[in-house]
Each structure stands twice: as C-alpha cells, then as structure tokens.
Amino acid sequence: MSEERVTLFAEILLPLPIPGSFTYRVPYELNMRAKIGQRAVVQFGKSKIMSGLIMSLSTNVPDCNNIKYLLDILDDEPVINENQQKLWKWIASYYMCYLGEVMQAALPSALKLSSESKISLAEDFEVDNANLSDNEYLITEALQIQPQLTITEVSKIIGYKKVMPLIKTMIEKKLIVMHEELQQKYKAKYERYVRLTNTYRDDDKMHELMDNLSKRAYKQLELLMAFLVLGGSADNEVLASELLKKANVASSILNTLVEKDVFETYYKRVSRLKNYKALTDVSSIILTDKQQEAFDEIHKGFDEDKPVLLHGVTASGKTEIYIKLIQEAIDQGKQVLYLLPEIALTEQIINRLKKYFGDKVGVYHSRYDDNERVEIWHQVMNFNSQQSTDNSQQTLSKVKHSKFQIIIGSRSSLFLPFTDLGLIIVDEEHDSSFKQVDPAPRYSARDVAAVMSKMFAARLLLGSATPSFESYHNACQGKYHLVTITERYGGVEMPEIVVDDLRIETRRKTMQANFGSVLVDAMNKTLEEKNQVILFQNRRGFSLRIECDHCNYIPQCINCDVSLTYHKNQNILKCHYCGYMTNVPTECPSCRSTDLKMHGFGTERIEDDLKIVFPQATSSRLDLDTTRTKNSYQYILEQFQNKETDILVGTQMVTKGLDFDSVKVVGILNADNMLTFPDFRAYERSYQLMEQVSGRAGRKGEKGKVIIQTYQPQHPVILNVMSHDYVRFFEEQMPIRRQFNYPPYSRLIMIRLKDVDSMKLNKAAELLSRSLRQVFKENLLGPEYPVVSRVKNQYIKQMIIKVDKNLNINKVKEFIGSTIENFKHDHDFKSVKIQIDVDPN
C-alpha cells in the first residue's frame, strides 16, 4: 500500500479550557501535507468549526468510535515547533491549567480561527408569504436579495438580539438552513509596484520617449523622471505610492503610462513592520571600570551555568551591559529575548537597541494589531527555517543577518517560536506585571524564562535595582550568581531623599492642593532652572470617592463591591474593576442632601491642581486612561523627552526604567496608600516603587532630589528608601517571612471560588476547604473574602495553601487537582467557578 493510503490519526489541540486533545482522522489526500505543529480545521460538536493544532500523528487506531475527519490543513509548514510544545506542557502542568488555555494565550488571535454561524434559504424553499410571520417574512425577503446572512445581520433586520429561538423555528419549518463558515483573520498586506516594460529598458528607446513626452505630456515626463530619481532602472521597481508622491501627480497619469506600455504595475506582498538601519556599532560603547567588572562577573556566572542576577542601582548603566551581551549572542548566530514589564518602557529601549542593531530588532506586545503580531511570529519562524545542519561560514552568516534576531517585548513574547535562543534578559525582574493574573494560564514570565533558558541551554540574566525577594534569596543561596553595581554611571550621586511630614504641613496649613510646601519649593526651583519634574501617585482618576457629608453615603458600583472613582474629563463615576459608569449625582440618593464632597485624589486631580499651583508649567499624564491607543505611550514620553512638557504625572508607569536627562525632582505624593495595603508583600512593593521612581531623578549632571509626602516619616520602609539600602531592607524583612512561612521560604497556591449566589459560594468554599484541610491543616489559610469581595456580580472567596519547600510540589498539585475534580462532580455546586493561581502575586 502506498504511503498516501496509510490511515493517519491526528491529536488536535483546541484553544478551549477543557482537558486533553481530540482525535481526528486525516483524509488520505492530506496525508502527505500533515505535519505536527500545523493548524487544522475540524468540526467540534454538531456544527462548530474551529482551527486547532496538530500535536501528534499516529497510525494507531484509537478505541473510540465515530471519529470525525479533519476538514483541512491551513498551513504548508508548522506554526509552532517542538520546543513550544514542551514549554506549553510545562506551563499547563506547573500552573495547573489546561493545555488549551496555554494555546489560547500563546497564539496570536489572528492564528486562532473559529466559525461564524450563517443562514441561507433551504433548497426547496417556496415563497408563501401568507404562512410567514412578520419577522420570518423579513428574513426570507432579505435572503432572496443576499444569499447568506450572519446571526448579527439577522438581529439587525428584526430589531432585537435574541434571535436563536426564531431561527430554530424557521429551521424546523424547513425555511432556512444554518451552516458554519471559517473566518480567516490574518490578511497579508499587498502594495502596488511599478517597473519599466522590456521595451523601454533600452537607452535609445528611453531617450526617444522622453523627447516625445517633453513636447506634449509634461506631467507624464515628470512621473518618468521621478521614477528614475527614486532609483528605478531596467531591473528595479518602485513603490507606486512613493512614485506618485514624489512626482506630485494623480494616479491617472500613471495609468496612462501603463496603457502606453511604458510601465507595468503589479502587487507584491509586503511587511507591515518598519525597517531600521543600525546607526552605530556596539564597539562604540566603552564600559566604565565598574561596568566592566560587572560584565566580567556576569560571564563567570554564565560559565557556571547559573542564571545571573544583576543588582545595579538605578542609572548604573545596566543597559550598556545588556547591549554588549546581546552583541555576543548574535555574533554566535543565536536569538535574543529581551523582556520588559511595561509597554511604556519598550519605546526608549527599542530606540536604543535599534541604534546598534537596526532591523535585527523586533517588537512584540499587545499594542501591536493582530496582523502585525502574526508577521512578527512568521519572521521568527523564518529565522528558524534558515538554519541547517551545514556548519559552513555561509550558513552562519545567513543566520546572523536574519530579520528579528532580537525580540523586545512584554510577557507574551515568551511564546514566540524560538528554536535557537542564546540569551534571555529579564529587565526589572521584580515587577509584578510579569505575572499574568487573568485569564489562565496565570504564569510568571520571569519563572517561565528560567525554564526556557534550561530548554534552550540559553543564558539567563535578571536585572533590577530592587530585585524581588525570591530572586535575591536564590542568589544568596547560590542558585543564582549575584553581580552588584553600587555606583551610578559617570559618578553621578544617588538622589537626595527628603521626607515631608504631612501632619506638620496640615497643622501649619501650608498645603497647596495636594502639594506640601517642601515639594512646591523644590518644583519651583527646578522649573526656574528649566529642568523637569515627575510626580508619582498610584491612583488614577480625579477623586477616589464622592461622599455625602450628612449620611456618609458613597456611590458604589452595581456590579462590584467597590466605590466609584470620579473622572473629571468625562464627568462620570467609573468602576476600575468592571468599567461600569454612571452620572455624578446632584444630590445624595439616600438623604437628598446636596452636600457631596470629594475625598482622595488620583492622577487626573493632580494634573488639574498643577494648572492652579504652577500656571506657567506644562504637564502631561501617563496612566491607563491616557494610554489606551497604540502610540499614546510614545507620544507622551517623546513630548517629555523633548522638554515640551515640564511635569509628568503618572501611576506605576513612571517608576520603571525611564531615562530622562533633565528630571531633577521626583515627588511621591501619597506613600501611605502603598504601605497600608493588606498584603504580605506590601512593604516589599512599596520599597520597590519608591526606590524605582526615585531613580528617575538626577540621572545626568547634578544630584537629584526626591520628596516623599507621608504621615509616617519614621516608617522603616521609608527610612530604608532614604538610605538606598536594599540589602539592609531585605535582611530586616526575611526573618518576618521565615516566621510566618511566606515566600521565599514556601510556595503559595491560591484557590479562588466565584458565584453569583453568596450563600452557595459560602457552602462551596467551606466544603472544599474541609477536604483540603485534612492534608494541609494549618497551612491552609481561609476561606475568606478578599479586599474586593464581588467583581462583575460574582462573589469571591479565596484560600491560600502554603507548601513547604521540602514537599514534592507535583504530588501536592496532584492532590489539589483531584480534590477539586471531585468537588466539581457535586451537582449542587455546578455553577461555582474555581480558579487556581500558583505563585500568586
């Protein structure tokens, strides 16, 4: 029997939160095309059509009956590779989620296809308007004009959303049929190009043409001359849009020359991604003595096959060291992954790296649209496909000059199809943004990067001025190689930290809006010297709440147990959890009083106050509300970089890695909010945020100043920030962590239960916790309501399991998983949702 007639069975993974994969039979005609890692079209359920991934192929006949055929294969080559499969399986296992959930998170949405339900008239449909209802008549009439209608289009025709009962009735009457059609989301981009026809590639013919055009068709001559100026020749092509712009003529002139057989036009597939040229060489970077010592010490750690933790104070020149290490990796023909926690950070780093590496640098994060992300995905695959078993210099050179050898991105860039990763850099490794919270998989990009480095035998470098306690503990235990830089680049001093006691300011009545006199004086001096200021407030919006002075009524979200935040620009009250919005009340709904006052302040309020206190200064705001569009980050930061704005107000976005020469003063407006948050990591995070934002001051030139406004000037966290002493702070906190058995001395697994019925939720949480407590005893905390106990009309209860480091974590997870599976079989609690978060933030 020929190879084509072998019966193949494919295991198809679908992007769904369900266990396992699904077996489909491969049609004989697709046998030769089928490869592991390709996308295949399959029917799932009675009518749904989806695209899944071929995870394995086998000739073994499965036990189950009625196996469906897969319908088609979408790709000529795999879109994921073997390394990705291994990584996905590890993530699913470690973070206790389904492999389909990992696929859903990993693949760009344009590579995940699902069908759209459509209806058309039945083959034997006969017009009989007398027996049709009004809505049935409208739909059948529309189908006689347009052969197919989507469910959305049907809804618009009849004027209401719930149309499925009507459609079901029409199917039963054999008026219509329903079918599914797969929608391809990714669309390649094509551009129109122009080149000379064979006739006019001859010089004599070209001169004759130009003479003729100069006499009676001057616009056509201008277009021809523009073609030659742009580099058009016998063998070259020119982009039509650039040609028309250069010649400043209408497209009809080009069409005329095409009709005269002077030009021929055609469409060619092009990339949506910009090309950049390297402007300088990495050899131009001269490391200082301290940087060189750190660079050499990093290599010692790499030689020991250990991850390296680079603990360098802010502005110590870590990025220059990263660039040198990247150059080494690409010289070896390796790929590099540079992870950043915030999209806001990427623009400055991208510009610095593109200066040295040009179009070898690719960017991958959620602000890129679906088509752009797919193109980057394919570019990484193209890099992989150019490698071969041939070890010749020619092959190595080809790999070195491949596009996108260096990827800069947020946590999702971990999922790109690397095959020869040589270096992973996790910058600002302490940042909580590296942890995915919702939906599953709830993974930590830093920890996944550590696993990837072992899979690829790649070097791993973690960098931070304020490392996470877990990473620093690993370094102290010898699991990581610790490298320290204690001085700023160029001998610049660390900023002076000044604590402004708001108790005294309030008593003396020296506050101006939310600015103390110490901060106002420092800002005035800085602005007079034509320097810049950054103000940090970890709350967005105008006012944190509106409260009635008579009955203390506070407007609450109707879906969540939180108060609504006032946003002045939109003049609305908004929930930051579910997005619910409502108008600002003119009187108290409870007691009808009109004495409603605002309490607390966010970034929007600060920006408003600045116009009153510093009327001559220009300010901008960097928070979630001002950075919703694709290029908004870049625009705000470029304005500040170019000194078009004097004061930058922001949330956590302004604390991380930003580098501005002229920032001399940083103000932390309300340190107490961070210190009093009910979380065992509150002090660690508060120190990190304050130290990081302090590091934005005085990075070049004279010493900077940081003003911390607080009601607790003697708080130990603030005292440690004042001395810039991370090590002492770490040593003070570790005994407390050890005493209460919190990370890094244990692992945490959080189990979160949700339901719309609070009574049912309480019973479910109690039942599940009773089963788990039999094994974990006092190491099970809860179940308790979290700080926000209801979100999007779902009540929440959670419990935390502390797992000792000496226990077998796999067996622990196996027990937790089986206990939860048994619980799910209880019909009374079928509606209760359960989420598992391993290593929660």
Side-chain angles (χ1 to χ4, degrees):
M1 184 180 290
S2 67
E3 187 178 351
E4 292 86 344
R5 300 298 293 177
V6 171
T7 302
L8 280 179
F9 296 93
E11 287 300 314
I12 305 294
L13 177 65
L14 298 173
L16 300 171
I18 48 181
S21 55
F22 298 86
T23 306
Y24 287 84
R25 185 172 172 179
V26 181
Y28 290 129
E29 63 270 18
L30 296 179
N31 275 5
M32 295 299 290
R33 285 184 58 198
K35 298 175 186 176
I36 294 171
Q38 290 172 318
R39 292 175 302 156
V41 181
V42 297
Q43 181 181 334
F44 185 71
K46 291 183 178 179
S47 60
K48 192 74 172 173
I49 298 172
M50 301 184 70
S51 69
L53 285 169
I54 301 176
M55 301 300 281
S56 66
L57 292 164
S58 173
T59 56
N60 297 329
V61 180
D63 295 334
C64 50
N65 298 321
N66 301 322
I67 295 176
K68 298 175 185 175
Y69 281 92
L70 62 82
L71 305 177
D72 197 5
I73 292 173
L74 293 171
D75 310 295
D76 294 327
E77 296 296 330
V79 295
I80 70 163
N81 55 44
E82 187 179 347
N83 287 313
Q84 285 172 292
Q85 278 208 45
K86 289 179 184 176
L87 184 66
W88 291 10
K89 288 174 182 176
W90 180 87
I91 291 172
S93 171
Y94 186 83
Y95 291 103
M96 301 183 71
C97 62
Y98 298 117
L99 194 57
E101 291 176 309
V102 182
M103 175 187 171
Q104 176 70 12
L107 278 186
S109 59
L111 292 180
K112 296 174 297 211
L113 311 183
S114 60
S115 59
E116 184 175 13
S117 298
K118 294 188 175 183
I119 61 168
S120 59
L121 291 172
E123 286 185 13
D124 54 352
F125 172 78
E126 293 181 3
V127 179
D128 183 8
N129 295 339
N131 293 321
L132 297 178
S133 68
D134 291 343
N135 285 331
E136 288 172 348
Y137 171 76
L138 289 172
I139 293 171
T140 54
E141 184 182 44
L143 286 170
Q144 290 174 60
I145 300 169
Q146 184 176 325
Q148 293 183 345
L149 292 173
T150 65
I151 302 301
T152 305
E153 289 169 336
V154 173
S155 177
K156 289 178 180 178
I157 289 168
I158 63 175
Y160 58 84
K161 292 182 179 180
K162 295 183 179 180
V163 297
M164 290 310 294
L166 173 62
I167 288 175
K168 185 179 178 183
T169 302
M170 293 181 71
I171 292 172
E172 289 171 353
K173 289 182 176 181
K174 297 185 178 180
L175 300 173
I176 61 171
V177 292
M178 181 182 284
H179 48 92
E180 300 286 314
E181 184 176 302
L182 201 66
Q183 301 294 311
Q184 178 68 271
K185 296 179 184 177
Y186 172 68
K187 292 181 180 178
K189 183 179 180 181
Y190 289 87
E191 292 273 17
R192 190 186 185 197
Y193 279 83
V194 180
R195 66 186 171 201
L196 289 171
T197 59
N198 289 330
T199 305
Y200 291 98
R201 294 182 183 182
D202 178 78
D203 289 344
D204 293 337
K205 287 282 187 182
M206 174 60 72
H207 288 126
E208 183 182 338
L209 172 67
M210 293 173 74
D211 288 340
N212 290 333
L213 293 178
S214 64
K215 296 173 183 176
R216 51 176 177 249
Y218 191 69
K219 284 289 184 183
Q220 294 175 32
L221 178 62
E222 281 187 328
L223 185 65
L224 183 60
M225 294 299 292
F227 177 82
L228 298 173
V229 168
L230 288 172
S233 64
D235 301 317
N236 288 346
E237 61 189 8
V238 171
L239 192 62
S241 57
E242 288 183 8
L243 177 59
L244 293 171
K245 184 178 179 182
K246 179 73 175 175
N248 193 26
V249 298
S251 58
S252 58
I253 305 296
L254 174 59
N255 295 336
T256 301
L257 286 174
V258 171
E259 290 169 7
K260 289 182 176 181
D261 202 33
V262 175
F263 286 136
E264 59 181 350
T265 63
Y266 53 94
Y267 285 88
K268 190 168 77 170
R269 183 169 172 173
V270 297
S271 173
R272 291 176 170 84
L273 307 169
K274 294 180 182 177
N275 285 322
Y276 296 87
K277 289 184 179 180
L279 302 176
T280 186
D281 194 79
V282 175
S283 60
S284 64
I285 297 176
I286 307 299
L287 299 180
T288 64
D289 291 343
K290 292 293 182 183
Q291 286 176 316
Q292 188 63 50
E293 286 175 19
F295 184 79
D296 295 338
E297 195 63 34
I298 287 168
H299 276 286
K300 285 183 184 178
F302 289 160
D303 292 341
E304 296 169 3
D305 288 329
K306 287 184 179 180
V308 175
L309 175 62
L310 177 56
H311 176 206
V313 296
T314 54
S316 58
K318 294 187 287 293
T319 305
E320 285 82 2
I321 296 173
Y322 297 158
I323 290 170
K324 289 281 190 181
L325 293 168
I326 290 169
Q327 182 65 59
E328 288 183 348
I330 65 173
D331 283 345
Q332 296 164 10
K334 298 286 186 179
Q335 294 167 295
V336 177
L337 174 58
Y338 192 133
L339 285 174
L340 289 163
E342 283 281 0
I343 297 169
L345 287 179
T346 59
E347 291 304 329
Q348 283 196 333
I349 295 296
I350 290 162
N351 293 334
R352 291 184 72 175
L353 264 63
K354 282 182 174 171
K355 176 182 173 183
Y356 295 102
F357 303 111
D359 62 4
K360 285 188 175 71
V361 178
V363 185
Y364 191 82
H365 56 61
S366 59
R367 290 298 169 103
Y368 273 38
D369 68 32
D370 290 345
N371 289 322
E372 289 172 323
R373 298 183 88 185
V374 171
E375 289 194 12
I376 294 169
W377 188 280
H378 287 319
Q379 288 284 2
V380 175
M381 292 293 287
N382 288 340
F383 174 91
N384 300 333
S385 67
Q386 290 183 39
Q387 302 185 60
S388 72
T389 55
D390 179 9
N391 292 321
S392 69
Q393 186 64 35
Q394 182 181 3
T395 303
L396 182 59
S397 175
K398 209 173 181 184
V399 172
K400 285 181 188 177
H401 293 91
S402 298
K403 198 170 184 181
F404 297 163
Q405 199 170 346
I406 305 160
I407 293 292
I408 304 175
S410 54
R411 60 176 182 258
S412 59
S413 55
L414 284 164
F415 295 115
L416 283 166
F418 300 103
T419 58
D420 197 13
L421 203 52
L423 175 66
I424 305 174
I425 297 171
V426 184
D427 201 10
E428 310 295 347
E429 66 83 29
H430 66 278
D431 200 283
S432 58
S433 300
F434 279 127
K435 172 72 174 180
Q436 166 82 4
V437 178
D438 273 319
R442 296 173 178 84
Y443 65 96
S444 162
R446 180 192 64 209
D447 297 343
V448 173
V451 174
M452 285 179 70
S453 69
K454 292 178 181 177
M455 284 184 177
F456 286 94
R459 295 168 166 182
L460 174 64
L461 178 62
L462 310 176
S464 177
T466 55
S468 65
F469 281 3
E470 287 84 351
S471 294
Y472 201 80
H473 179 75
N474 283 335
C476 294
Q477 297 296 308
K479 293 179 182 178
Y480 294 172
H481 186 83
L482 179 63
V483 179
T484 304
I485 308 178
T486 56
E487 294 180 8
R488 281 186 151 190
Y489 181 83
V492 177
E493 291 184 76
M494 293 295 287
E496 176 192 0
I497 309 289
V498 177
V499 175
D500 189 9
D501 191 340
L502 293 186
R503 296 172 301 179
I504 297 173
E505 292 272 9
T506 305
R507 190 162 58 244
R508 292 177 177 173
K509 298 182 179 179
T510 51
M511 294 288 291
Q512 296 185 54
N514 292 294
F515 312 119
S517 60
V518 176
L519 179 58
V520 170
D521 292 344
M523 289 175 67
N524 274 322
K525 182 181 178 184
T526 299
L527 294 172
E528 285 170 8
E529 294 170 351
K530 305 300 180 184
N531 287 317
Q532 293 172 295
V533 177
I534 288 178
L535 298 178
F536 168 57
Q537 166 64 3
N538 208 23
R539 292 286 187 276
R540 61 190 172 100
F542 188 85
S543 174
L544 302 188
R545 69 185 189 280
I546 290 178
E547 186 172 344
C548 174
D549 251 14
H550 284 258
C551 69
N552 301 113
Y553 166 83
I554 299 172
Q556 299 282 316
C557 176
I558 61 172
N559 305 313
C560 312
D561 283 341
V562 292
S563 58
L564 296 172
T565 302
Y566 174 57
H567 288 251
K568 184 180 180 182
N569 282 354
Q570 299 167 282
N571 195 33
I572 55 165
L573 295 172
K574 187 174 182 180
C575 174
H576 288 172
Y577 284 82
C578 71
Y580 168 76
M581 292 181 287
T582 187
N583 293 326
V584 181
T586 54
E587 61 179 27
C588 174
S590 178
C591 69
R592 302 301 174 191
S593 168
T594 56
D595 199 3
L596 298 171
K597 291 188 178 178
M598 297 179 187
H599 294 267
F601 60 95
T603 50
E604 191 181 4
R605 173 71 174 269
I606 296 164
E607 188 182 29
D608 209 51
D609 290 341
L610 286 171
K611 294 172 185 175
I612 300 170
V613 182
F614 302 96
Q616 304 305 317
T618 56
S619 63
S620 58
R621 178 160 50 97
L622 191 71
D623 58 23
L624 188 62
D625 295 322
T626 61
T627 56
R628 295 189 184 276
T629 57
K630 180 179 176 180
N631 295 314
S632 51
Y633 283 104
Q634 185 176 358
Y635 177 71
I636 294 168
L637 294 177
E638 278 184 358
Q639 276 194 315
F640 194 65
Q641 178 77 54
N642 298 333
K643 301 186 74 171
E644 294 172 34
T645 50
D646 304 310
I647 305 169
L648 180 64
V649 182
T651 54
Q652 290 189 34
M653 295 178 186
V654 301
T655 69
K656 307 164 186 176
L658 298 175
D659 189 359
F660 300 109
D661 295 350
S662 298
V663 174
K664 301 304 176 187
V665 168
V666 167
I668 300 173
L669 298 181
N670 191 346
D672 302 310
N673 268 356
M674 299 179 282
L675 296 169
T676 55
F677 193 78
D679 186 286
F680 78 92
R681 285 194 177 95
Y683 284 7
E684 178 186 1
R685 288 197 180 127
S686 298
Y687 178 90
Q688 288 167 343
L689 283 170
M690 285 190 273
E691 184 67 24
Q692 288 285 342
V693 76
S694 300
R696 303 315 111 208
R699 296 176 73 89
K700 300 281 172 67
E702 65 185 62
K703 186 175 182 179
K705 179 179 281 189
V706 179
I707 292 97
I708 302 176
Q709 297 190 162
T710 178
Y711 289 93
Q712 307 175 73
Q714 297 302 312
H715 196 287
V717 173
I718 292 176
L719 295 177
N720 280 301
V721 171
M722 291 179 70
S723 62
H724 302 289
D725 196 339
Y726 172 85
V727 175
R728 186 177 73 180
F729 177 63
F730 173 82
E731 290 172 348
E732 287 176 359
Q733 292 298 309
M734 280 299 99
I736 302 170
R737 294 282 183 96
R738 187 186 294 110
Q739 178 184 354
F740 293 100
N741 196 27
Y742 277 117
Y745 299 104
S746 67
R747 291 188 179 93
L748 298 184
I749 298 176
M750 177 179 285
I751 301 171
R752 194 176 290 113
L753 294 85
K754 296 182 177 182
D755 198 88
V756 293
D757 185 337
S758 61
M759 296 295 290
K760 183 190 289 187
L761 180 68
N762 285 331
K763 291 178 183 177
E766 188 57 40
L767 178 64
L768 181 59
S769 64
R770 200 182 307 136
S771 300
L772 293 170
R773 204 179 300 278
Q774 293 175 8
V775 170
F776 297 110
K777 299 182 171 52
E778 70 276 1
N779 284 329
L780 173 66
L781 307 180
E784 294 292 344
Y785 287 108
V787 176
V788 179
S789 59
R790 183 173 62 104
V791 174
K792 296 180 182 178
N793 279 324
Q794 296 269 330
Y795 291 93
I796 306 166
K797 271 207 155 178
Q798 61 190 32
M799 56 193 88
I800 295 176
I801 299 171
K802 295 179 182 178
V803 183
D804 291 332
K805 284 290 184 75
N806 56 359
L807 291 178
N808 185 321
I809 189 66
N810 292 326
K811 289 187 177 179
V812 168
K813 290 175 183 174
E814 189 178 315
F815 170 74
I816 294 171
S818 62
T819 303
I820 290 174
E821 283 302 313
N822 291 335
F823 169 82
K824 286 179 178 178
H825 292 147
D826 191 326
H827 187 74
D828 292 341
F829 303 118
K830 193 174 181 180
S831 65
V832 177
K833 297 176 184 175
I834 298 180
Q835 297 175 347
I836 304 174
D837 191 355
V838 178
D839 301 332
N841 259 347

